[in-house]
Structures are given as structure tokens and as C-alpha cells.
Amino acid sequence: QVPLVESGGGVVQPGGSLRLSCVASRFTFNAFDMHWVRQAPGKGLEWVTFIRSDGRNAFYADSVKGRFTVSRDNSKNTLYLQIDSLRSEDSAVYYCAVMGPNIYYWGQGTLVSVSS
Amino acid sequence: DIAMTQSPISLPVTPGEPASISCRSSQSLLHTNGDNYLDWYLQKPGQSPQLLIYLGSIRASGVPDRFSGSASGTHFTLKISRVEAEDVGVYYCMQLLQTPFSFGQGTKLEIK
């Protein structure tokens, strides 16, 4: 089993919405903070958001604040990213990741394309 | 916000030769616990990023010992003692001390 598997990407019109999911396995999901990182085509990595292990606190990049909402369901070992008011510059591969302590996994990514 | 600056942007290397990548942070990444909150990742072509070094200098599990990380103030260095063909890809540093977390712009290593 792959530790992190993302889904939910697709083609959406500007102004539209998507919800990405990331299912975790092989580690104790509810013990770790979780991140979303994105990568626009041909570009570098951009940190987007992270949520505490208990889901009570979340932090966002300025570029997505107010439009993106991260959440998690620890009973389902699943991380979510609600993306609203999509813009062309949001087109990217979205990765979920756990970045320590002592456990570092990234998913394979899910592609979001914003196009009219 | 903490800015991360990598150099060089492109790094052609002959197999068997050493390589070095620099990453500078605009602020100290030293946590009160004494650790530098700086990780190094390698993204091979068509793959997700993979962790090489965490907390500035600790090699991740399974990473060959030809990779090493060091820190001096706000200057961080990733060294490869002898480059192999499988090391090609883009290397990123990332700070996790303070939100918004941030990556360097990446260094593309290619084989001469």
C-alpha cells in the first residue's frame, strides 16, 4: 500500500470549486500534522497549507488564504483540501505530505487544471 | 515571511565528481530546541519529491551516505561526495520553522 493517495483533481472553469482528498495508510494518521504542496507545470514547489494532527489549527500561504480550506477526518484517515474561487494560477499538481517527525511521505499528486 | 534562496539554479556535474548546493534563508531557522528546521528534497523526473536530509544535517532512512547536509547560521549546504547518474533531478531546500513554510527555487542537477 502506498502511504498517501490523492484524488479529486480535474479540469474546472475559473471561479469554480474542487475538493481534493488524500487517504493515508501505513502510519498513525491522527498523530501527525499534514500538508498540501503544489507544483505548477514546469515550476518549483509551493507550500500551500498544513493542519495540526487534531484538526484544530490550520495555516495557509497568502496566495490561497480565504479561498482554500484544509480539513481532516481522522476516523477515515483522510485529509481534504476544499478549493474555491479557482484561478488560472491555481493550476498545478497538488501533493499531500507528512513531513515528520520521523515520518516523511508524499503522495503521487493529483492534477488541477483551471481553464475556460 | 522567510525567503529561501538556492544557488546555483543549474548544476552540470561529471559522474564521480563532487557537487554542492547552497541554500540561504532570510532569517535564522534555529528552533529553541537547538535544531535547524531545514530539509532537503530531491525530485527526480516524473516523480514526487523524496526526502534526503532533515533538520539540516540528518540523512533520511535509505539515503546513500554520499549525501550530507550542513548548516552555518543562515547558510545551508547539501553536498554529494561522488555524483552518480541516478542523482539527476531538481533539489529543493525547505524551511519548516515558521509559517508560511517555504521552498527554495530549486537546483537542477544534470550529468555532463
Side-chain angles (χ1 to χ4, degrees), chain B residues 41-96:
Chain B
Y41 285 88
L42 165 60
Q43 187 175 31
K44 295 184 177 182
Q47 296 185 17
S48 303
Q50 60 188 80
L51 181 71
L52 296 174
I53 302 288
Y54 62 98
L55 296 178
S57 60
I58 302 174
R59 205 163 36 247
S61 175
V63 174
D65 60 8
R66 64 178 181 276
F67 289 92
S68 64
S70 63
S72 177
T74 59
H75 184 210
F76 300 85
T77 304
L78 176 71
K79 292 185 178 179
I80 310 173
S81 58
R82 296 173 307 280
V83 170
E84 298 188 3
E86 65 181 23
D87 299 336
V88 297
V90 182
Y91 291 78
Y92 295 95
C93 59
M94 179 189 184
Q95 69 84 14
L96 292 105

Side-chain angles (χ1 to χ4, degrees), chain A residues 8 15 17 20 23 44 66-67 69-70 77-78 80 85 87 90 92-93:
Chain A
S17 298
L20 309 183
V23 177
R67 300 186 300 118
T69 305
V70 62
N77 286 351
T78 303
Y80 302 100
S85 303
R87 306 167 180 168
D90 296 321
V93 173

Side-chain angles (χ1 to χ4, degrees), chain B residues 11-28:
Chain B
L11 183 57
V13 185
T14 300
E17 294 296 304
S20 179
I21 300 171
S22 169
C23 176
R24 292 186 184 272
S25 57
S26 60
Q27 302 174 32
S28 171

Side-chain angles (χ1 to χ4, degrees), chain A residues 35 37 39 43-47 50 59-62 95 99 102 104 106-108, chain B residues 1 39 41 43 47-49 51 54-55 92 94 96 99-105:
Chain A
H35 300 254
V37 175
Q39 186 170 37
K43 301 298 184 183
L45 301 171
E46 180 187 14
W47 176 81
F50 96 101
F59 303 85
Y60 298 89
D62 289 344
Y95 298 99
M99 299 185 198
N102 301 315
Y104 293 80
W106 289 58
Q108 83 291 346
Chain B
D1 296 1
D39 296 344
Y41 285 88
Q43 187 175 31
Q47 296 185 17
S48 303
L51 181 71
Y54 62 98
L55 296 178
Y92 295 95
M94 179 189 184
L96 292 105
T99 57
F101 300 145
S102 46
F103 290 90
Q105 64 268 59

